[in-house]
Every structure is written in structure tokens, then in C-alpha cells.
Amino acid sequence: MLSPVFAQSTPAKDVRVTLDYWYNHEFKKDKAGNTIRWHYTWEEQENGGFSIWGHIFDSLGVKRDTLAAAPTATNLKNTDVYIIVDPDTELESPSPNYMNSKDADVIYNWVKAGGVLVLMENDSLNAEFTHFNKLSEKFGIHFNGDSRNRVQGRNYEQGALIIPANHEIFPNVKKVYIKELSTMNVKAPARAVYKDGNYVIMAVSKVGKGTVFAVGDPWFYNEYTDGKRLTPDYQNYGAAADLSAWLIKQVKKKK
């Protein structure tokens, strides 16, 4: 059974969250032979989709959007939260849209002006790092491109992370599951907000009026938020609700 969404006191009626479809730009054939976009999309209700996370944003009153083009000052103008997940490799896309200095500058300036950026990388076998670090390093975050928490079969404890009480971002959860993730090195203005021993798992960076949250895995995909695969002590759904509420609170609305 899914945990309840931890509702805010007031709905975020004027907040827009945009999910990147440019750097993550994967397609496959469906059962009917049609070419469809897949992997970490709002629409996808299968294991690899973000439909459940999307419904959490809906419940919080957030408007959802997508961006299937390179970011510009114009197409980011009405976005409050911009989520970039799992940048493509050449194995995933015949012509990957790699991060570049121009795009990184656009995103940096958008954050500095008050944007809230979410960076969700992946592990060494499933995402691109060399180009993507051109963006993350502007905020003091370097993805190491390794692979921590490698889980064998159903040994879910190998992917368990214990969240300390009264965590600044995840106050309502105690235990979550993240497998095969990239760790990070951070320097000012970034700081670690969750570490597993000496390994930085999650980080936050404040630049100008804006905020960046970074983690080395797209861990809110349906497979591990729908409550069907993991045992009830894992609270990924609750973590998705907590992060969503926290992101909304970081939004500085224009007057």
C-alpha cells in the first residue's frame, strides 16, 4: 500500500515543474511496433516511468511540463523547477544531446535568477558523465561515475539507506532504497545533505536566488515507488513526496 502524500498547508498553484526530455531522449518499439519515448517520462506507467512521481506533483497543485529541446532563457522562463535525469550515452541514443558549455551557462543563469534545478544522474554503466559534469561542476558538484549499492537479485538490503531523524529534506521517512548510483565530490557552494559513510549520495547547492538538488540515481521511478516490489519498510514513495514538497518551498516566486 502506498504511503499518503505529505500535503502542504497550501497548494502550489502557481508552480511549474518541467522534466527534461532533451538530454534524456530514449525511444523504443512498443508491442504494436510503434516507436515511443520511454525511460523516466511523466507518461510512462511501466517500471521505468515517472508517472507516480508526476501524480505526487499533481496532488501538491504543481503544473507539470516537459522540455524536449535544449534549454534557453526563453523556454525556461516560466519554469520554476527543472529536472534533468539520466543523460544519454551513445548506447542509449544514436545521437545523444550532450551537455555543453552554452547550455550549462543558460541553466546556471536560470538558477542564479531563482530557478530550482534537480540533477539525477545514474551509475557508470547507464549514464553520461564527462559532458554532464560541465553543468554540475558550475554548482560545485562532480559526479564520480562509479556504481555504489550494487544489488544482487532480491537482496534489497544492499540498496538500503537509513535517513536520520528530522532530515532537512526527508523528515517523514526513515529508510529508502537506491541501487547502482553514482557518488559525488562536492565543494563550495555545494554541501552534502546525505552521506553513506564517506560517500556523498545527495547534495544541495545555493547559487544566487536559486537551489540545486543532486543525487546519482533516478530513484523515484515507478518500480521502486509503487509499493509492489520492495517491502513496506522502504519508503521511496514518501521520499518522493518529501522531496517534491521541499522543492516547492525553494521556489522564489516573481512579484
Side-chain angles (χ1 to χ4, degrees):
M1 181 176 180
L2 296 181
S3 305
V5 171
F6 304 108
Q8 297 191 119
S9 56
T10 55
K13 294 180 179 179
D14 297 321
V15 174
R16 182 180 300 274
V17 56
T18 297
L19 180 59
D20 165 68
Y21 282 14
W22 178 250
Y23 305 105
N24 172 37
H25 194 75
E26 296 181 66
F27 292 84
K28 70 174 183 177
K29 297 284 187 180
D30 65 11
K31 294 179 180 179
N34 301 309
T35 300
I36 60 170
R37 182 185 292 277
W38 78 299
H39 226 186
Y40 314 123
T41 69
W42 292 139
E43 301 83 9
E44 187 178 358
Q45 298 184 33
E46 296 177 354
N47 281 345
F50 274 157
S51 61
I52 292 174
W53 193 16
H55 292 156
I56 290 174
F57 279 117
D58 293 344
S59 75
L60 294 171
V62 176
K63 300 180 183 70
R64 283 192 284 138
D65 205 348
T66 62
L67 183 57
T72 65
T74 299
N75 62 28
L76 287 180
K77 184 177 181 180
N78 295 317
T79 293
D80 299 294
V81 181
Y82 181 34
I83 303 172
I84 307 177
V85 182
D86 187 41
D88 291 343
T89 67
E90 290 183 356
L91 294 177
E92 297 170 320
S93 172
S95 182
N97 296 313
Y98 290 134
M99 182 60 62
N100 57 57
S101 297
K102 178 182 177 182
D103 294 358
D105 285 343
V106 167
I107 297 169
Y108 178 85
N109 290 331
W110 173 81
V111 171
K112 189 175 180 180
V116 179
L117 177 65
V118 180
L119 303 178
M120 289 183 160
E121 258 284 4
N122 212 327
D123 71 314
S124 56
L125 298 176
N126 292 292
E128 196 282 324
F129 292 90
T130 302
H131 296 86
F132 199 70
N133 273 326
K134 293 179 181 179
L135 171 63
S136 61
E137 288 174 356
K138 294 179 79 68
F139 304 103
I141 299 165
H142 174 86
F143 287 100
N144 294 322
D146 51 356
S147 187
R148 294 280 300 170
N149 286 11
R150 298 193 66 81
V151 177
Q152 283 76 46
R154 295 180 179 272
N155 296 320
Y156 297 131
E157 284 297 313
Q158 294 175 327
L161 295 174
I162 303 302
I163 305 296
N166 303 312
H167 191 272
E168 62 184 284
I169 300 175
F170 304 102
N172 297 296
V173 299
K174 298 179 180 179
K175 184 180 180 180
V176 300
Y177 180 83
I178 311 181
K179 70 167 186 175
E180 298 171 8
L181 60 98
S182 171
T183 63
M184 293 173 277
N185 288 334
V186 299
K187 63 181 182 181
R191 61 183 177 87
V193 292
Y194 185 86
K195 296 177 72 175
D196 183 19
N198 292 324
Y199 294 95
V200 177
I201 306 299
M202 305 178 199
V204 166
S205 184
K206 296 281 189 175
V207 173
K209 297 178 181 179
T211 303
V212 179
F213 173 83
V215 62
D217 191 76
W219 58 311
F220 292 152
Y221 49 99
N222 296 339
E223 184 174 6
Y224 297 114
T225 55
D226 65 8
K228 296 177 181 178
R229 183 179 295 274
L230 298 175
T231 52
D233 51 324
Y234 291 98
Q235 299 172 292
N236 282 29
Y237 181 90
D242 271 358
L243 179 63
S244 301
W246 182 85
L247 293 171
I248 293 166
K249 291 177 182 177
Q250 308 313 304
V251 173
K252 304 293 192 296
K253 296 306 295 181
K254 302 176 180 64
K255 296 182 179 179

